[in-house]
Amino acid sequence: MENFAAAEHQKQCEYSYNLIMENRKKTLPFILTNSICNDVLNLVIYLFIIRACVAGSVTIGSIAKYITGITLFINATKGLISQTQSLFNNNKYLVRYFSFLDIPSKMSQGERHLYFLPNKDHILEFRNVSFKYSGSNAYAVKNLNL
């Protein structure tokens, strides 16, 4: 039994490894794009701020303001790319979820309709409602009144 369990464990490890590598291959372009964009953006903006500071057209307070704004912008861009990546990764699960929701219901539908008269008070009342699952002798709900 030990050899069988070890072989099954090895198969599961290989399967998991292959799934992880496949996922990494799919997400690599997003990660590289994100990293390159952030690095280039940081470099350009910091060079601009340093140039403006050396020229004397920017105060120390303005530098702090610009760096804070840049940091917030870069973090928002990272979040947007990360969320887009999550959408692509979760898409396969959403397809399964929506296909499940599209399964037609086999539940019987009632044919009685309620008609309400305008400007009247109406009361919806259940009297002695009982229910038991098919194949069961015990009631799940018995003589419910609402």
Side-chain angles (χ1 to χ4, degrees):
M1 193 69 179
E2 177 184 350
N3 292 335
F4 174 75
E8 286 299 313
H9 177 52
Q10 181 65 29
K11 280 192 233 177
Q12 291 301 318
C13 287
E14 289 173 7
Y15 177 74
S16 297
Y17 176 78
N18 290 335
L19 282 178
I20 290 169
M21 293 309 292
E22 181 182 328
N23 189 31
R24 285 186 180 174
K25 287 177 187 176
K26 288 180 182 177
T27 59
L28 184 62
F30 294 108
I31 293 169
L32 286 176
T33 303
N34 186 19
S35 178
I36 290 170
C37 287
N38 286 333
D39 292 343
V40 169
L41 186 62
N42 277 333
L43 180 65
V44 168
I45 292 174
Y46 288 132
L47 286 175
F48 175 75
I49 291 173
I50 290 170
R51 184 176 162 269
C53 186
V54 169
S57 61
V58 177
T59 64
I60 297 294
S62 295
I63 291 172
K65 177 176 65 173
Y66 292 140
I67 289 176
T68 303
I70 292 164
T71 304
L72 290 173
F73 177 74
I74 289 171
N75 287 337
T77 304
K78 284 181 184 179
L80 181 65
I81 291 173
S82 174
Q83 291 303 315
T84 303
Q85 179 181 354
S86 294
L87 285 173
F88 282 116
N89 287 340
N90 293 330
N91 188 36
K92 60 186 170 194
Y93 302 112
L94 288 175
V95 168
R96 292 178 65 190
Y97 177 73
F98 286 122
S99 66
F100 172 75
L101 290 179
D102 289 338
I103 295 172
S105 175
K106 294 180 181 177
M107 220 170 155
S108 62
Q109 302 292 322
E111 295 182 9
R112 293 186 181 178
H113 299 283
L114 299 175
Y115 298 101
F116 296 108
L117 298 174
N119 300 324
K120 297 283 185 179
D121 290 335
H122 299 282
I123 297 174
L124 182 62
E125 182 177 1
F126 292 94
R127 289 186 190 169
N128 298 323
V129 176
S130 298
F131 173 79
K132 64 180 173 179
Y133 292 98
S134 61
S136 174
N137 292 329
Y139 282 92
V141 175
K142 188 168 185 177
N143 296 327
L144 175 69
N145 295 309
L146 293 174

